[in-house]
Amino acid sequence: MSRICKDGFDKECIKEQTEVYGIAYTQNVLSGRWKYIILWFLKAKERRYSQIKAFLWDISQGSLTKQLRELETDGLIKWEVFPEVPPRVEYSLTTKGREFIPILDMMENSGKKFGGEN
């Protein structure tokens, strides 16, 4: 249905599929096993890489780095380097990233409500 290239959606696709484009865009931005959880973990406060890694104990360093880079590229998170020795880096949500929190909250509530059903 939609055509996604490495740079996102082409203009023809957006024009042809306006009804589903918003959902497809959101799915594309949040695609990845850990992105939802990373955003949820950052919603309360900024976190260091080691804190995120400890929280997601089952994720490899490479996967975490990839997910963080993709979230940054899509404008959902930012990182700040503090001039200390050793350097301290903290990840936090951007304004755009905070816009996704209500979606995560709805997902959380649905999971709590329906998660135990078979």
Side-chain angles (χ1 to χ4, degrees):
M1 175 171 42
S2 62
R3 293 175 295 280
I4 304 172
C5 62
K6 71 178 181 77
D7 298 321
F9 296 89
D10 64 30
K11 291 187 185 304
E12 183 181 327
C13 171
I14 294 169
K15 184 178 177 183
E16 291 174 3
Q17 305 294 333
T18 54
E19 308 84 30
V20 76
Y21 171 71
I23 293 170
Y25 173 81
T26 302
Q27 179 189 20
N28 190 50
V29 168
L30 294 177
S31 66
R33 180 176 178 189
W34 303 101
K35 288 182 182 178
Y36 300 95
I37 305 300
I38 293 168
L39 292 173
W40 179 87
F41 191 56
L42 292 175
K43 83 177 188 177
K45 64 179 186 175
E46 62 282 338
R47 309 283 182 154
R48 296 181 73 172
Y49 181 92
S50 60
Q51 293 172 307
I52 300 169
K53 177 71 174 101
F55 180 69
L56 303 172
W57 58 272
D58 197 28
I59 192 171
S60 71
Q61 183 173 337
S63 290
L64 178 55
T65 300
K66 181 178 184 284
Q67 299 283 282
L68 290 169
R69 282 184 185 152
E70 289 175 3
L71 286 167
E72 182 189 5
T73 298
D74 289 327
L76 291 132
I77 67 169
K78 62 182 177 181
W79 56 276
E80 184 176 358
V81 179
F82 294 88
E84 301 172 357
V85 178
R88 175 172 50 110
V89 177
E90 290 183 344
Y91 293 88
S92 61
L93 295 176
T94 62
T95 302
K96 182 178 178 180
R98 292 203 177 285
E99 296 272 338
F100 280 79
I101 296 304
I103 297 168
L104 300 179
D105 290 341
M106 287 189 293
M107 291 173 65
E108 179 182 3
N109 291 333
S110 294
K112 287 177 179 176
K113 183 175 181 178
F114 302 113
E117 295 180 1
N118 289 324

